[in-house]
Amino acid sequence: MTEQHEQHAHRFERGTDGPKVILVGVDGSDSSLRAAAYAGGLARRQHALLALVYVQPVLAAGAALGAPVAETTDEIAEDLIAQIREAAERVKGIFDLRWEFHTFRGDPYNGLVKAADELKADAVVVGASEQAGHRIIGSVAVRLVKAGRWPVTVVP
């Protein structure tokens, strides 16, 4: 092996042999669970790793008022993991799917960007926003598409 070939063999490159990691943002909403199902199908067909990511919000204002923010978001994460494990058990032996669950802290957009970078995602799948205010300020999905760093699929 030449020295130049050795250098290229260890370098990460997106999009060479199909996706290796498909990242999906989940938050427990119906659209995020549909996105997870869609991403799971993609990952299964592509023999890719499905990285399910929950971004735990950091709500400084809620914490200042004495609301148990961290406990609540931890409970959501645990509930999501339980739902995902249950769904994986139902299809065990029928479908072969590799998956991991990750939690990141922060706002949804920056959390998903950080997750996609750290996990070296080849594609990002998110559910369509169900909040009316996002029509004005832009949804996480729109911001991810505008970032232009990965193919983004938005599931209704």
Side-chain angles (χ1 to χ4, degrees):
M1 194 182 271
T2 66
E3 184 178 328
Q4 183 180 14
H5 186 266
E6 285 178 22
Q7 289 175 345
H8 291 293
H10 291 73
R11 195 170 62 188
F12 174 72
E13 183 178 351
R14 282 202 171 118
T16 54
D17 293 324
K20 299 291 183 217
V21 178
I22 297 175
L23 183 143
V24 60
V26 291
D27 63 5
S29 67
D30 287 343
S31 67
S32 81
L33 297 177
R34 285 191 298 271
Y38 180 84
L42 286 177
R44 180 184 55 79
R45 288 187 296 279
Q46 296 290 330
H47 305 288
L49 172 68
L50 177 63
L52 297 118
V53 174
Y54 170 59
V55 180
Q56 291 181 286
V58 178
L59 304 172
L65 296 173
V69 175
E71 288 175 23
T72 302
T73 59
D74 286 344
E75 288 173 15
I76 292 170
E78 290 300 320
D79 184 51
L80 287 169
I81 292 170
Q83 288 181 46
I84 293 162
R85 283 196 177 119
E86 181 181 308
E89 270 307 305
R90 283 195 305 266
V91 297
K92 193 174 187 175
I94 301 169
F95 297 117
D96 185 28
L97 177 64
R98 296 179 303 122
W99 62 275
E100 299 174 350
F101 185 84
H102 301 270
T103 58
F104 287 79
R105 290 194 184 273
D107 69 275
Y109 171 76
N110 287 312
L112 289 174
V113 167
K114 182 178 179 181
D117 285 343
E118 286 185 16
L119 300 171
K120 294 182 173 57
D122 294 297
V124 176
V125 180
V126 292
S129 175
E130 297 175 349
Q131 296 180 6
H134 287 169
R135 292 187 192 122
I136 300 165
I137 59 170
S139 68
V140 171
V142 169
R143 292 174 67 193
L144 288 168
V145 170
K146 286 182 178 181
R149 295 170 59 185
W150 322 268
V152 177
T153 302
V154 182
V155 178

